[in-house]
PDB file of all heavy atoms in Angstrom:
ATOM      1  N   MET A 128      -5.865  -2.147 -46.015  1.00  0.00           N
ATOM      2  CA  MET A 128      -6.166  -3.572 -45.914  1.00  0.00           C
ATOM      3  C   MET A 128      -5.227  -4.438 -46.739  1.00  0.00           C
ATOM      4  O   MET A 128      -4.943  -5.575 -46.369  1.00  0.00           O
ATOM      5  CB  MET A 128      -7.612  -3.834 -46.359  1.00  0.00           C
ATOM      6  CG  MET A 128      -8.666  -3.111 -45.540  1.00  0.00           C
ATOM      7  SD  MET A 128      -8.732  -3.663 -43.822  1.00  0.00           S
ATOM      8  CE  MET A 128      -9.399  -5.318 -44.023  1.00  0.00           C
ATOM      9  N   VAL A 129      -4.770  -3.921 -47.865  1.00  0.00           N
ATOM     10  CA  VAL A 129      -4.022  -4.755 -48.807  1.00  0.00           C
ATOM     11  C   VAL A 129      -2.653  -4.176 -49.153  1.00  0.00           C
ATOM     12  O   VAL A 129      -1.702  -4.913 -49.369  1.00  0.00           O
ATOM     13  CB  VAL A 129      -4.817  -4.953 -50.128  1.00  0.00           C
ATOM     14  CG1 VAL A 129      -4.144  -5.997 -51.008  1.00  0.00           C
ATOM     15  CG2 VAL A 129      -6.260  -5.337 -49.850  1.00  0.00           C
ATOM     16  N   GLY A 130      -2.554  -2.849 -49.221  1.00  0.00           N
ATOM     17  CA  GLY A 130      -1.350  -2.230 -49.760  1.00  0.00           C
ATOM     18  C   GLY A 130      -0.130  -2.279 -48.873  1.00  0.00           C
ATOM     19  O   GLY A 130       0.977  -2.000 -49.320  1.00  0.00           O
ATOM     20  N   GLY A 131      -0.309  -2.592 -47.593  1.00  0.00           N
ATOM     21  CA  GLY A 131       0.836  -2.679 -46.708  1.00  0.00           C
ATOM     22  C   GLY A 131       1.296  -1.355 -46.137  1.00  0.00           C
ATOM     23  O   GLY A 131       2.349  -1.279 -45.501  1.00  0.00           O
ATOM     24  N   LEU A 132       0.521  -0.281 -46.325  1.00  0.00           N
ATOM     25  CA  LEU A 132       0.899   1.023 -45.783  1.00  0.00           C
ATOM     26  C   LEU A 132       0.268   1.234 -44.416  1.00  0.00           C
ATOM     27  O   LEU A 132      -0.859   0.807 -44.164  1.00  0.00           O
ATOM     28  CB  LEU A 132       0.468   2.153 -46.728  1.00  0.00           C
ATOM     29  CG  LEU A 132       1.501   2.594 -47.783  1.00  0.00           C
ATOM     30  CD1 LEU A 132       1.845   1.447 -48.718  1.00  0.00           C
ATOM     31  CD2 LEU A 132       0.995   3.781 -48.564  1.00  0.00           C
ATOM     32  N   SER A 133       0.995   1.899 -43.540  1.00  0.00           N
ATOM     33  CA  SER A 133       0.483   2.192 -42.211  1.00  0.00           C
ATOM     34  C   SER A 133      -0.470   3.377 -42.267  1.00  0.00           C
ATOM     35  O   SER A 133      -0.528   4.103 -43.257  1.00  0.00           O
ATOM     36  CB  SER A 133       1.646   2.511 -41.264  1.00  0.00           C
ATOM     37  OG  SER A 133       2.260   3.736 -41.648  1.00  0.00           O
ATOM     38  N   MET A 134      -1.202   3.579 -41.173  1.00  0.00           N
ATOM     39  CA  MET A 134      -2.130   4.701 -41.120  1.00  0.00           C
ATOM     40  C   MET A 134      -1.405   6.052 -41.272  1.00  0.00           C
ATOM     41  O   MET A 134      -1.873   6.919 -42.032  1.00  0.00           O
ATOM     42  CB  MET A 134      -2.928   4.676 -39.812  1.00  0.00           C
ATOM     43  CG  MET A 134      -4.115   5.610 -39.810  1.00  0.00           C
ATOM     44  SD  MET A 134      -5.439   5.019 -40.893  1.00  0.00           S
ATOM     45  CE  MET A 134      -6.120   3.693 -39.878  1.00  0.00           C
ATOM     46  N   PRO A 135      -0.256   6.268 -40.598  1.00  0.00           N
ATOM     47  CA  PRO A 135       0.445   7.540 -40.814  1.00  0.00           C
ATOM     48  C   PRO A 135       0.886   7.726 -42.264  1.00  0.00           C
ATOM     49  O   PRO A 135       0.820   8.835 -42.795  1.00  0.00           O
ATOM     50  CB  PRO A 135       1.656   7.439 -39.868  1.00  0.00           C
ATOM     51  CG  PRO A 135       1.235   6.486 -38.808  1.00  0.00           C
ATOM     52  CD  PRO A 135       0.362   5.489 -39.499  1.00  0.00           C
ATOM     53  N   GLU A 136       1.345   6.655 -42.919  1.00  0.00           N
ATOM     54  CA  GLU A 136       1.777   6.772 -44.313  1.00  0.00           C
ATOM     55  C   GLU A 136       0.608   7.134 -45.223  1.00  0.00           C
ATOM     56  O   GLU A 136       0.736   7.951 -46.134  1.00  0.00           O
ATOM     57  CB  GLU A 136       2.419   5.457 -44.766  1.00  0.00           C
ATOM     58  CG  GLU A 136       3.775   5.194 -44.132  1.00  0.00           C
ATOM     59  CD  GLU A 136       4.280   3.785 -44.352  1.00  0.00           C
ATOM     60  OE1 GLU A 136       3.460   2.894 -44.683  1.00  0.00           O
ATOM     61  OE2 GLU A 136       5.489   3.555 -44.173  1.00  0.00           O
ATOM     62  N   ILE A 137      -0.547   6.521 -44.970  1.00  0.00           N
ATOM     63  CA  ILE A 137      -1.732   6.826 -45.785  1.00  0.00           C
ATOM     64  C   ILE A 137      -2.167   8.268 -45.561  1.00  0.00           C
ATOM     65  O   ILE A 137      -2.498   8.992 -46.507  1.00  0.00           O
ATOM     66  CB  ILE A 137      -2.878   5.854 -45.451  1.00  0.00           C
ATOM     67  CG1 ILE A 137      -2.477   4.420 -45.806  1.00  0.00           C
ATOM     68  CG2 ILE A 137      -4.149   6.231 -46.211  1.00  0.00           C
ATOM     69  CD1 ILE A 137      -3.428   3.373 -45.280  1.00  0.00           C
ATOM     70  N   ALA A 138      -2.166   8.698 -44.298  1.00  0.00           N
ATOM     71  CA  ALA A 138      -2.566  10.082 -43.994  1.00  0.00           C
ATOM     72  C   ALA A 138      -1.642  11.075 -44.690  1.00  0.00           C
ATOM     73  O   ALA A 138      -2.103  12.071 -45.242  1.00  0.00           O
ATOM     74  CB  ALA A 138      -2.552  10.293 -42.477  1.00  0.00           C
ATOM     75  N   ARG A 139      -0.344  10.796 -44.671  1.00  0.00           N
ATOM     76  CA  ARG A 139       0.597  11.706 -45.342  1.00  0.00           C
ATOM     77  C   ARG A 139       0.385  11.712 -46.850  1.00  0.00           C
ATOM     78  O   ARG A 139       0.552  12.744 -47.504  1.00  0.00           O
ATOM     79  CB  ARG A 139       2.037  11.325 -44.988  1.00  0.00           C
ATOM     80  CG  ARG A 139       2.429  11.660 -43.543  1.00  0.00           C
ATOM     81  CD  ARG A 139       3.917  11.523 -43.327  1.00  0.00           C
ATOM     82  NE  ARG A 139       4.367  10.147 -43.380  1.00  0.00           N
ATOM     83  CZ  ARG A 139       4.506   9.353 -42.321  1.00  0.00           C
ATOM     84  NH1 ARG A 139       4.201   9.804 -41.117  1.00  0.00           N
ATOM     85  NH2 ARG A 139       4.941   8.119 -42.442  1.00  0.00           N
ATOM     86  N   ALA A 140       0.002  10.568 -47.411  1.00  0.00           N
ATOM     87  CA  ALA A 140      -0.244  10.506 -48.854  1.00  0.00           C
ATOM     88  C   ALA A 140      -1.411  11.388 -49.253  1.00  0.00           C
ATOM     89  O   ALA A 140      -1.432  11.964 -50.344  1.00  0.00           O
ATOM     90  CB  ALA A 140      -0.510   9.057 -49.275  1.00  0.00           C
ATOM     91  N   PHE A 141      -2.403  11.523 -48.356  1.00  0.00           N
ATOM     92  CA  PHE A 141      -3.584  12.340 -48.638  1.00  0.00           C
ATOM     93  C   PHE A 141      -3.490  13.737 -48.049  1.00  0.00           C
ATOM     94  O   PHE A 141      -4.425  14.529 -48.159  1.00  0.00           O
ATOM     95  CB  PHE A 141      -4.841  11.647 -48.096  1.00  0.00           C
ATOM     96  CG  PHE A 141      -5.335  10.503 -48.943  1.00  0.00           C
ATOM     97  CD1 PHE A 141      -4.844   9.226 -48.768  1.00  0.00           C
ATOM     98  CD2 PHE A 141      -6.287  10.711 -49.932  1.00  0.00           C
ATOM     99  CE1 PHE A 141      -5.281   8.176 -49.549  1.00  0.00           C
ATOM    100  CE2 PHE A 141      -6.740   9.670 -50.720  1.00  0.00           C
ATOM    101  CZ  PHE A 141      -6.235   8.392 -50.527  1.00  0.00           C
ATOM    102  N   LEU A 142      -2.348  14.033 -47.396  1.00  0.00           N
ATOM    103  CA  LEU A 142      -2.129  15.348 -46.771  1.00  0.00           C
ATOM    104  C   LEU A 142      -3.222  15.687 -45.761  1.00  0.00           C
ATOM    105  O   LEU A 142      -3.745  16.807 -45.720  1.00  0.00           O
ATOM    106  CB  LEU A 142      -2.044  16.457 -47.840  1.00  0.00           C
ATOM    107  CG  LEU A 142      -0.935  16.319 -48.884  1.00  0.00           C
ATOM    108  CD1 LEU A 142      -0.941  17.526 -49.824  1.00  0.00           C
ATOM    109  CD2 LEU A 142       0.435  16.165 -48.234  1.00  0.00           C
ATOM    110  N   VAL A 143      -3.576  14.703 -44.929  1.00  0.00           N
ATOM    111  CA  VAL A 143      -4.551  14.929 -43.867  1.00  0.00           C
ATOM    112  C   VAL A 143      -3.968  14.402 -42.554  1.00  0.00           C
ATOM    113  O   VAL A 143      -2.971  13.676 -42.548  1.00  0.00           O
ATOM    114  CB  VAL A 143      -5.902  14.229 -44.155  1.00  0.00           C
ATOM    115  CG1 VAL A 143      -6.511  14.766 -45.437  1.00  0.00           C
ATOM    116  CG2 VAL A 143      -5.736  12.715 -44.237  1.00  0.00           C
ATOM    117  N   GLN A 144      -4.607  14.767 -41.444  1.00  0.00           N
ATOM    118  CA  GLN A 144      -4.174  14.278 -40.152  1.00  0.00           C
ATOM    119  C   GLN A 144      -4.487  12.789 -40.011  1.00  0.00           C
ATOM    120  O   GLN A 144      -5.453  12.280 -40.580  1.00  0.00           O
ATOM    121  CB  GLN A 144      -4.873  15.056 -39.034  1.00  0.00           C
ATOM    122  CG  GLN A 144      -4.509  16.528 -38.980  1.00  0.00           C
ATOM    123  CD  GLN A 144      -3.040  16.743 -38.668  1.00  0.00           C
ATOM    124  OE1 GLN A 144      -2.469  16.095 -37.788  1.00  0.00           O
ATOM    125  NE2 GLN A 144      -2.418  17.680 -39.380  1.00  0.00           N
ATOM    126  N   GLU A 145      -3.664  12.105 -39.218  1.00  0.00           N
ATOM    127  CA  GLU A 145      -3.853  10.662 -39.042  1.00  0.00           C
ATOM    128  C   GLU A 145      -5.221  10.339 -38.446  1.00  0.00           C
ATOM    129  O   GLU A 145      -5.871   9.368 -38.841  1.00  0.00           O
ATOM    130  CB  GLU A 145      -2.743  10.111 -38.144  1.00  0.00           C
ATOM    131  CG  GLU A 145      -2.790   8.604 -37.966  1.00  0.00           C
ATOM    132  CD  GLU A 145      -1.663   8.088 -37.087  1.00  0.00           C
ATOM    133  OE1 GLU A 145      -0.696   8.849 -36.862  1.00  0.00           O
ATOM    134  OE2 GLU A 145      -1.763   6.945 -36.629  1.00  0.00           O
ATOM    135  N   THR A 146      -5.685  11.170 -37.493  1.00  0.00           N
ATOM    136  CA  THR A 146      -6.997  10.907 -36.881  1.00  0.00           C
ATOM    137  C   THR A 146      -8.112  11.023 -37.911  1.00  0.00           C
ATOM    138  O   THR A 146      -9.055  10.221 -37.908  1.00  0.00           O
ATOM    139  CB  THR A 146      -7.251  11.887 -35.730  1.00  0.00           C
ATOM    140  OG1 THR A 146      -7.054  13.239 -36.201  1.00  0.00           O
ATOM    141  CG2 THR A 146      -6.315  11.618 -34.572  1.00  0.00           C
ATOM    142  N   ALA A 147      -8.010  12.009 -38.799  1.00  0.00           N
ATOM    143  CA  ALA A 147      -9.036  12.181 -39.830  1.00  0.00           C
ATOM    144  C   ALA A 147      -9.058  10.994 -40.780  1.00  0.00           C
ATOM    145  O   ALA A 147     -10.131  10.516 -41.175  1.00  0.00           O
ATOM    146  CB  ALA A 147      -8.786  13.471 -40.607  1.00  0.00           C
TER     147      ALA A 147
END
Side-chain angles (χ1 to χ4, degrees):
M128 300 295 290
V129 189
L132 269 62
S133 67
M134 193 71 76
E136 289 168 341
I137 297 169
R139 288 191 291 266
F141 283 87
L142 300 183
V143 299
Q144 295 296 316
E145 184 179 345
T146 53

